[in-house]
Amino acid sequence: MTRIIKRIVVTLAFALLAALVWGVVIEPYTLDQRNTSATVPNLPRAWEGRRIALLADFQSGMWLDNTSLIDTITETLLRQRPAAVIIAGDFVYHPTNTSDAAAAKRALNTANEQKTLMSLDTTLARLKPLVEAGIPVHAVLGNHDYAMASPHDARLGFIADAVKKRIQQAGITVLQNRAVPLSLPDSNTTDQPLYLVGIGSHYAGNDHVEQALETLPGDAARLVVMHNPASFPDFPAHTAPLAMAGHTHGGQMRLPGLPQWSWMSLFQSGPAHTDGWIEEDYGAPGNRLYVNRGIGFSMVPIRIDAPPELTMFTLQGNGTAQ
């Protein structure tokens, strides 16, 4: 009996070690490209069949971060040449984990702030070939871009401002509750545009959906990007036919074959919308949400059954394209 118990203990120990090695050394550097199609009402004909790439959650600056994977992503996107690249926030990490604003500023002292911004510069340098190749890149900010790990943490707007400034200096358009038209170099200038609507950070209390929609012509074809899926239910019916988000890391650690059993689902109250198309009753009619698993980590640098994701959407109209 003792021998059997020893065998069980040793087997479990080896299984745990193997999972740890896989989750720290292998899976975080294994890119999973998900290809899917999405219907966009009133899609301009020039956009029919075009592809849009979605990324999220670089978390640059976290200990043992895996931002070197961005080199692989950039090379992949340069080969596949999507019509646009969209980044759903959380460029940096370094949360302060306190609700006291003064304590948060002390926690993110000058040295840590500079470390955060230097790690961001490295990430942006890895994305620079996309901008140089003429591929439009747009982004929104996430909670970590305000140094927030939870909605109760102090919001550090000066960090978000510094992050936004650097991102825009790198040639990436940052959207906060506004819409911009997406252009194609080979499309007719008389074509109706496809718009991209960008929503601000949910944790930072900056996700103003009505404000963003006011910048759109009423029936314009649009894509919507936000960082946190929790912003999605605020969209009125038929205003977000293709909404994209990140934030969840796909649960980051979950049981193989049982994605509903994840680190996120254990600690989040209510349903955990971790990744892929959210098919259950979530959001208003006519709206559809896709959640990207992101690239980096939160808390610990490990991913198990939640590999980093690059999503590629092929756009299709609903027969009423302009």
Side-chain angles (χ1 to χ4, degrees):
M1 190 67 171
T2 302
R3 182 176 296 178
I4 294 175
I5 294 174
K6 286 182 178 179
R7 287 178 178 174
I8 293 174
V9 170
V10 169
T11 300
L12 290 175
F14 273 109
L16 181 61
L17 178 61
L20 187 63
V21 170
W22 174 266
V24 174
V25 179
I26 300 175
E27 185 165 309
Y29 301 92
T30 305
L31 181 64
D32 179 19
Q33 178 172 328
R34 291 296 177 97
N35 300 309
T36 186
S37 60
T39 300
V40 178
N42 298 321
L43 184 71
R45 290 191 180 92
W47 282 91
E48 187 76 38
R50 301 281 185 159
R51 295 193 297 172
I52 299 290
L54 174 64
L55 301 168
D57 303 285
F58 299 141
Q59 313 288 31
S60 302
M62 182 178 171
W63 59 292
L64 295 180
D65 70 20
N66 63 337
T67 50
S68 61
L69 181 64
I70 299 173
D71 290 333
T72 301
I73 294 170
T74 297
E75 292 170 3
T76 300
L77 292 173
L78 288 173
R79 287 196 307 270
Q80 299 190 19
R81 300 290 302 191
V85 174
I86 299 171
I87 304 172
D90 272 9
F91 281 80
V92 298
Y93 193 65
H94 296 302
T96 57
N97 297 306
T98 176
S99 60
D100 185 290
K105 290 180 180 179
R106 290 195 299 271
L108 197 69
N109 57 33
T110 301
N112 284 335
E113 180 182 346
Q114 290 304 311
K115 180 182 177 182
T116 297
L117 296 178
M118 287 175 63
S119 66
L120 173 61
D121 288 341
T122 301
T123 293
L124 294 173
R126 289 184 160 119
L127 295 168
K128 187 177 180 180
L130 299 177
V131 177
E132 293 176 336
I135 300 174
V137 185
H138 295 75
V140 294
L141 298 183
N143 52 285
H144 281 285
D145 300 320
Y146 289 82
M148 301 176 70
S150 80
H152 307 294
D153 289 346
R155 163 184 165 168
L156 298 186
F158 70 94
I159 291 295
D161 290 343
V163 169
K164 179 182 177 182
K165 181 179 179 181
R166 273 174 157 77
I167 295 171
Q168 294 191 144
Q169 287 174 340
I172 298 172
T173 302
V174 179
L175 301 176
Q176 294 194 69
N177 304 311
R178 67 186 179 100
V180 295
L182 296 176
S183 60
L184 290 169
D186 55 347
S187 66
N188 192 311
T189 56
T190 62
D191 288 344
Q192 294 297 316
L194 170 66
Y195 285 85
L196 176 63
V197 184
I199 305 299
S201 168
H202 180 70
Y203 279 9
N206 192 31
D207 52 342
H208 305 307
V209 169
E210 289 186 9
Q211 176 184 329
L213 292 177
E214 285 174 356
T215 65
L216 272 176
D219 61 348
R222 84 285 303 268
L223 315 174
V224 174
V225 59
M226 64 203 74
H227 174 66
N228 194 323
S231 300
F232 179 66
D234 292 340
F235 279 86
H238 305 289
T239 60
L242 171 54
M244 298 165 278
H247 181 66
T248 67
H249 304 181
Q252 193 163 310
M253 291 179 284
R254 55 192 189 183
L255 294 178
L258 296 170
Q260 68 275 20
W261 289 89
S262 69
W263 178 266
M264 181 178 175
S265 66
L266 290 175
F267 291 93
Q268 177 172 307
S269 58
H273 303 297
T274 55
D275 67 326
W277 290 109
I278 308 305
E279 301 292 355
E280 63 262 35
D281 186 17
Y282 186 59
N287 296 337
R288 199 175 184 203
L289 176 66
Y290 188 97
V291 179
N292 178 285
R293 289 193 300 270
I295 305 301
F297 320 97
S298 283
M299 299 178 66
V300 292
I302 185 171
R303 279 178 175 262
I304 296 177
D305 197 41
E309 179 179 349
L310 164 63
T311 315
M312 199 74 75
F313 297 94
T314 299
L315 304 183
Q316 57 190 26
N318 63 345
T320 58
Q322 302 175 24

